[in-house]
Amino acid sequence: SQSLALFTPVEIERIEATDLMLELSAWGYPVLSEAPWLEVDWLDAPPAHHLAHARQALQGIGAIGRNGQLTAHGQDILNFGLDWRSAHMVLHCLDISSEMAVTAAILAALLGERDVLRQADSVDVRLRVDAVLAHCHGKFSREGYHQGALHNVAQTVQRVCRQFALDLPEQVSDATLLQACLAGFAERLAKRTAKGYTMAMGRGVSLDDTDSVSRYEWCVVLDAHAQQSQGRVFLAMPIKDTEVLSQLNTDVTIKAQYHNNVLRIVERTTFGALTVAEKPLNSPKPDIYQKALSDVLQTQGLGLLRWDEPCERWLSRVKWLGTTCPDRFPQIDEAYLLQHIDTWLLAYQPP
């Protein structure tokens, strides 16, 4: 039987520690240490894996250097007045275009408030962005909106626009909005699976089938329930044109697949835990073919080569020779043959 927890875990054990790690770096604590919390007189220390994730995130965006010191970009993030991710997103987009910077500011402000829509039937962020821009330009209806949240979001956006002398457009394109989402939340790029969506960071999330975003194979998850497996999505940007995926910093690997006595070699493009594209290599280069054949043999064994009874008799004889005359013959068995496959098979197996 299940029972309630004796007490609710303290907040520092549940929240993301990246902003805390940024502050520790600014204060001069050794954040590259495996245990920087030992230098701090905590009431409750944050979990080690939270700090490790925070360290990796800050190094990834260049907020802390190799020596653990705060960089100029890290200081700009601290001074910005928003959480680390939102600040980095806006600062990064400023280097691209003013429209993208304003878009990033709207996203950051939306994530800092309750949903501006009342009883929304979709988590589509475009609906919220349109509402914010309409509010900023005095073109909004009071029906269907949380006026307090909408006002706060608009104030934050207008403050950022004044701070960086940005013009506030009346609308932003889907392409610009998607680019801003990917600038701040690339690891939350998500692909539909049988159980919902899987993000590039490896976590699964869920989306109501009735939500318009669920029609799309790909989306960027901006907000979701972080404390649950397959947590519910609260805000997302659907991806209509998958051509944008080609602009990601992807990895390309060659994989061998063996099925029904057919060796198939594929080129797989991945981004984090997601497969972005996969295509067969019908005429692979000799070295690629040999590597693929070797990989399959390591998993399938010599039986892949139609290892018949005469082959087994030969292997039994050479095993006997290796045992009887160890100073003259090597100890040859199936493991030995697989380990030295390049000397007796691959060299004679052109594709």
Side-chain angles (χ1 to χ4, degrees):
S1 63
Q2 295 182 342
S3 59
L4 295 175
L6 295 178
F7 54 86
T8 302
V10 293
E11 185 178 15
I12 200 168
E13 294 181 358
R14 295 181 282 113
I15 64 172
E16 187 184 74
T18 313
D19 282 308
L20 173 61
M21 177 71 77
L22 199 62
E23 293 281 359
L24 287 176
S25 178
W27 297 340
Y29 286 100
V31 297
L32 295 187
S33 164
E34 289 303 314
W37 61 89
L38 295 180
E39 304 288 338
V40 185
D41 188 17
W42 300 104
L43 290 176
D44 295 285
H49 65 278
H50 284 194
L51 290 175
H53 176 77
R55 185 188 306 115
Q56 182 181 11
L58 292 175
Q59 287 180 316
I61 65 173
I64 57 175
R66 293 182 178 179
N67 58 358
Q69 297 298 313
L70 197 68
T71 64
H73 181 56
Q75 188 62 56
D76 288 341
I77 290 174
L78 270 179
N79 296 337
F80 200 87
L82 296 174
D83 66 277
W84 72 274
R85 184 189 294 276
S86 297
H88 167 70
M89 177 173 60
V90 175
L91 292 170
H92 174 76
C93 290
L94 273 170
D95 294 333
I96 301 175
S97 71
S98 59
E99 183 185 16
M100 191 173 294
V102 172
T103 305
I106 295 173
L107 292 175
L110 284 170
L111 291 168
E113 284 289 337
R114 64 183 298 184
D115 195 350
V116 298
L117 300 185
R118 294 181 184 272
Q119 299 178 339
D121 57 2
S122 175
V123 299
D124 195 331
V125 69
R126 295 174 298 181
L127 302 175
R128 282 80 176 168
V129 172
D130 289 344
V132 172
L133 289 173
H135 182 91
C136 290
H137 290 283
K139 302 176 182 178
F140 68 97
S141 168
R142 294 186 178 277
E143 298 296 326
Y145 301 101
H146 289 290
Q147 294 302 318
L150 196 56
H151 177 73
N152 292 340
V153 170
Q155 279 197 324
T156 299
V157 173
Q158 290 166 341
R159 175 181 66 81
V160 173
C161 288
R162 289 193 300 269
Q163 181 179 351
F164 296 100
L166 301 173
D167 293 327
L168 188 63
E170 292 194 6
Q171 61 181 14
V172 296
S173 66
D174 285 359
T176 299
L177 182 53
L178 177 56
Q179 290 288 354
C181 290
L182 289 173
F185 300 87
E187 80 282 6
R188 296 187 188 177
L189 174 70
K191 184 179 182 181
R192 190 172 56 226
T193 64
K195 296 183 178 181
Y197 283 82
T198 297
M199 295 187 290
M201 63 194 296
R203 270 190 54 209
V205 290
S206 62
L207 196 59
D208 290 341
D209 293 337
T210 58
D211 196 301
S212 60
V213 177
S214 67
R215 301 199 306 263
Y216 298 89
E217 181 182 11
W218 295 86
C219 69
V220 180
V221 176
L222 303 175
D223 191 19
H225 198 303
Q227 303 301 321
Q228 292 182 354
S229 175
Q230 294 296 128
R232 178 186 171 193
V233 175
F234 300 131
L235 195 64
M237 174 65 190
I239 299 178
K240 290 193 286 187
D241 184 7
T242 56
E243 182 64 27
V244 70
L245 301 179
S246 63
Q247 303 172 20
L248 297 171
N249 186 21
T250 55
D251 295 314
V252 178
T253 56
I254 305 298
K255 297 290 184 180
Q257 300 173 346
Y258 183 73
H259 184 66
N260 291 336
N261 294 324
V262 176
L263 175 62
R264 183 169 176 261
I265 303 174
V266 298
E267 180 183 272
R268 183 174 298 165
T269 303
T270 58
F271 182 73
L274 304 178
T275 297
V276 177
E278 186 174 281
K279 64 179 181 180
L281 296 180
N282 297 322
S283 300
K285 295 179 180 179
D287 59 329
I288 292 177
Y289 173 82
Q290 292 179 1
K291 174 67 166 57
L293 179 59
S294 176
D295 290 345
V296 171
L297 283 169
Q298 298 303 323
T299 58
Q300 299 290 328
L302 295 176
L304 176 66
L305 303 175
R306 298 178 184 177
W307 197 259
D308 54 15
E309 186 175 346
C311 293
E312 285 294 342
R313 289 200 299 267
W314 171 84
L315 185 57
S316 295
R317 290 196 296 269
V318 296
K319 281 182 180 178
W320 178 83
L321 284 172
T323 303
T324 306
C325 309
D327 55 335
R328 298 176 59 187
F329 294 95
Q331 295 284 341
I332 296 179
D333 55 14
E334 182 172 346
Y336 177 92
L337 292 176
L338 289 173
Q339 185 179 358
H340 297 84
I341 196 172
D342 56 325
T343 61
W344 64 270
L345 177 66
L346 299 183
Y348 306 99
Q349 287 287 320

